[in-house]
Structure formats: C-alpha cells, structure tokens
Amino acid sequence: DKASIGVTGLAVMGRNLARNLARHGHTVALHNRSEQRTRDLVERFGAEGTFVPTYSARDFVAALERPRKLVIMVKAGAPTDAVIEEFAPLLDEGDIIVDAGNAHFADTRRREAELRDRGLHFVGTGVSGGEEGALHGPSIMPGGSPESYDTLGPLLEDIAAKVDGTPCCAHIGPDGAGHFVKMVHNGIEYADMQLIAESFDLLRGALGLEPARIAEVFRTWNTGRLESYLIEITAEVLAHTDAATGTPFVDVVADQAEQKGTGRWTVQVGLDLGVPITGIAEATFARSLSGHTELRSAARGLAGPTRAPLTGAAAERFADDVEQALYASKVVAYAQGFNQIQAGSAEFGWDIDLGAVAAIWRGGCIIRARFLDDIRAAFRAEPDLPTLLTSGEFRGAVEDAQDAWRSVLSTAVRLGIPTPGFSTALAYYDALRAERLPAALVQGQRDYFGAHTYRRVDREGTFHTEWATEGRPEQLA
Ligand code: NDP
C-alpha cells in the first residue's frame, strides 16, 4: 500500500509530525538524509501506526500515492533548497511539496514561483507548538494554492490542535502567506513574553516578592482574562527551585535572552511595510540589550533612584494594577501584529482572513490563549477593523485599564525598573488617540533643512516655505 503522505527530515519536529500523522491512521513514508534517524523512528515508534521507511529519494517518492504529498521538515535555509532540488525532478505535475520548517516568507514566495513553473504545488506552512505540539496537535498555517489545500488540508486538519472541535489549521492565503503569518506569530510571542517578564520584574522590584510568590500571582491571573499557555508556563518556571543550589531557578539562569531570528525578521518586515510594530521591536531589542554584557557591565555603576518598595494601599493594589497594565499592553502588541498581517496581505494580495488567523492560534501554538477568542470575535464582527483597540470589547477593557496602566508605569519610572514593552505600548496608545502629533513639527524641520515640503490642514496642495528669506508659504502644486 502506498503512503498518503511522506515526511523527510526526521529530527525532533519531523519525527513528531510523522508520528502524529500515523497516530491518526495515515500511512506515512519516512525519509531522512542520514539513515539512522529513519531506523530510529521505526524502531522506537513503529507500533504507533503504519510507517514506510525509505532510504533513497527515489524510494521515498515511489512510496507515495498520487498526487504525492511530501513534507519537508529540515533545517531552514539552504538545506530546504537542497532538499527541494533533490525531490522536485522526481515528482509529477500536481504533486505537493510542503515546507513545514521555519522559512522566511520571501524564500517561500521564490520557491513557490519556481515550482509552480514546473507544475508542482509548493505549500510553505507555519507550524507552531514546538516538539510537543508537533506530536499532540500544533497550530498549522499553510500557504500555497487553494487547490493544494483541497488535497492537503484534510490531513493537516486531522493532526492539528482542536479547540471546541475546530481544527487549528486553515488555508491562510497564496504562496508565502502561511510563513508570513507564522513569522508574525513568533513576533507576537516575543512581545508577549517580554511583557510577562516585565510584570515579574515589576512585582519583584516594587513589592520585593519572591519568585515562588509571584508564581502564585501568575496562577491567579491564569484563571482570568490573561489565561494562556505563556502565563501558565511562566508560573511553572517561577515556582521551580534549582536542585543544585536550592535557590529559585530564575535566579541561577544567566540573564541574556537568546533568539533564533524570527523576531528579527518580523521587525525587519515591519519596517519594510511601514507598520509600527513597536511592541515586537522593543521585545526584540530587549533580548538584544540583555546580551550586551560589555555594555551592561560598563554601565552598571550609573546612578538610579533609591528603590523604596511600595507600601500600604499602593502595595496592595499593585499586583492588580500590573495585571491591568499587562492586559492593555498585550492588546496593543496583538493589535500591532494583526496590523502587520493586514499590511502583508494588502502588499502581496493574500486576502488573509484575520478572524481565521486568530481562530487557529487559539490552540496548539505558543501564544494560545483565551484572549484569541475575543480577537476572533472582533474580526468576525468587523473584518476590516482598523485596529483591535477600537473594537467594542477591547476598547472598553483598555479604557478601563488605563489608569492602572499609567500608575504602574509611573511606579516603574520612579523606581528605575526598565519596562520597554509596557512603555512603548502606552506610548502607542497615546499617540494613536492624540488629536495632534508633533509630526507637524518634524515636517517643519524637514522643510527647513531639506525643502521636503509639507501639506496643510486648511488647504489642498503641497507647500514649501522659503526659510532663508521669509516665512511666506508658496504653493507648489
Ligand atoms: P533542525 O532544524 O535541527 O534540522 C535537522 C534536520 O534537518 C535533520 O533531519 C537533518 O538531517 C536535516 N538537514 C539539515 N541539513 C540538511 C541538508 N543539507 N539536506 C538534507 N537534510 C538536512 O530540526 P528541527 O526538527 O528542530 O526543526 C525542523 C524545522 O522545523 C526547522 O526548519 C525549524 O526551524 C522548524 N521548527 C522547529 C520548531 C522547534 O521547536 N524545534 C518549531 C517550529 C518549527 P540529518 O539527520 O541527516 O542531519
């Protein structure tokens, strides 16, 4: 019997995807560059379903029923191109190559166009949820042709996470749309993690709470509107004690955050598209700053305020205030991320359904959260919503939270606790709602030194002031 799907690249992600497919009753052809991983999988997990191990590209392709569906799960970048070049010549018109690795969407667009010319479908697919998700149900974000989704979609929906019986998998849009959305997902993940980390730092710095006590605060938050995988695991991490030293685990970890680069991609693309994703950018820079040990040790002695922790009513209120600040900042970060998806969709003609994106992020992925249900509802009610901040539900919640949000930030500033994520979120909120921005002055400066011209609030046209002679505006057009 032929396999309904094949997986090549059987490291942790590919192996678990293959097992997930087999556990759902699909016959799965297996292939990996080095044979050992294939043998390993069959030896250890062969009983979980029907696997067809193969040890050459030709045998792998021959094992697949047509149209062939083969999933590539290798190290992203040049290896993906190498694997495509190995298999594409062996395939027939209408076959489907799925790249489930973390490719940059621009690479996916290039590969899709090339393979389309050769009569093949190429489906760049975002997969989120790490190795556990791959095995038990990830959130799956496939791009590529709608036609390829007709054949491939049911298999992916089978193995995806389910929320209220709905699979966390949907066709996102043509060519690179799936990988683009996965990229923004990771960017939002950076922002969310940073905001949670700042909340911890605030609770510790302003109240002097121990990590185990802060874990309890997070557990309480996790029963409310902030309920999410990231809050849940944060409580676990904070409650964890280092066995070797008996001190809180978080205190023995070096405080330099690393990154694999998807956050950086999100920021770079945000700049290219002109979308102010300030929350994701600050989170990415915060990781970068933490790693600059030479800068940090040079600056360590710089003066700061005396830190007298909060007392009395202010202390009692503080954890609740931080919850509100975290919620409001999170709404901003997600609003920005969804704006980036809107911008990408417009730029590349993807016609992405934002409600569907929120729906498939509700389960399986790292940012899964109760909150995404509300985001889904907001875009269902108003598909062209300019920003989540003005949707019925979020508008009220953020307005209610703003006093606490401002209060937390003033405490942070007073005590010298760095809150780049919270700060940029509030600045964004205040800038968006402002009647007038000092951008008018920036335009004046630009016109002064570079004759860059400006528009006026009271008249149509483009204007330039002859700054050297007098301040009289002359209409140019
Ligand atoms: P790795 O990224 O570590 O990649 C290892 C796999 O790639 C092995 O199967 C390896 O084969 C294969 N490989 C590397 N170079 C080549 C090449 N030139 N030709 C053929 N095969 C090659 O594996 P992961 O399982 O961690 O991740 C797989 C993909 O999934 C990556 O794109 C990753 O970004 C993405 N991803 C990972 C997540 C995670 O949590 N780890 C989450 C979501 C996506 P060999 O055994 O022969 O060395």
Side-chain angles (χ1 to χ4, degrees), residues 204-208 306-311 315 415:
R204 199 172 205 187
L207 297 178
T306 321
R307 272 201 197 178
L310 298 177
T311 51
L415 300 184

Side-chain angles (χ1 to χ4, degrees), residues 9-13 32-34 37 73-76 79 83 101-102 127 130 182:
L10 300 174
V12 52
M13 289 297 288
N32 192 69
R33 176 178 60 179
S34 50
R37 285 194 202 272
M73 203 41 158
V74 302
K75 207 173 179 56
V83 173
N102 260 339
V127 177
K182 171 67 190 334

Side-chain angles (χ1 to χ4, degrees), residues 255-306:
D255 63 348
Q256 289 120 46
E258 297 177 12
Q259 51 178 311
K260 279 191 172 171
T262 41
R264 185 173 60 230
W265 286 351
T266 317
V267 179
Q268 286 167 338
V269 172
L271 289 171
D272 289 343
L273 293 173
V275 193
I277 42 164
T278 58
I280 298 170
E282 278 296 354
T284 308
F285 282 129
R287 289 196 191 188
S288 157
L289 185 153
S290 75
H292 279 282
T293 46
E294 76 300 343
L295 260 179
R296 291 176 61 193
S297 52
R300 190 147 292 141
L302 290 176
T306 321

Side-chain angles (χ1 to χ4, degrees), residues 225-226 317-332 371 389 393-409 422 426 429-430:
R225 60 184 173 174
L226 287 174
R317 235 190 27 238
F318 193 65
D320 183 55
D321 284 354
V322 174
E323 190 272 347
Q324 302 203 54
L326 174 56
Y327 181 81
S329 302
K330 212 174 125 129
V331 175
V332 167
F371 181 74
L389 284 165
E393 171 139 6
F394 291 115
R395 179 188 193 121
V398 172
E399 284 174 348
D400 286 348
Q402 66 144 337
D403 285 344
W405 196 8
R406 293 181 195 285
S407 159
V408 166
L409 274 163
F422 279 12
L426 183 58
Y429 177 77
D430 282 335

Side-chain angles (χ1 to χ4, degrees), residues 168-198:
C168 294
C169 172
H171 181 239
I172 301 291
D175 60 79
H179 274 139
F180 185 93
V181 164
K182 171 67 190 334
M183 173 191 77
V184 176
H185 165 285
N186 285 28
I188 292 175
E189 175 186 309
Y190 275 49
D192 207 338
M193 290 167 72
Q194 174 66 22
L195 293 170
I196 293 172
E198 289 177 18

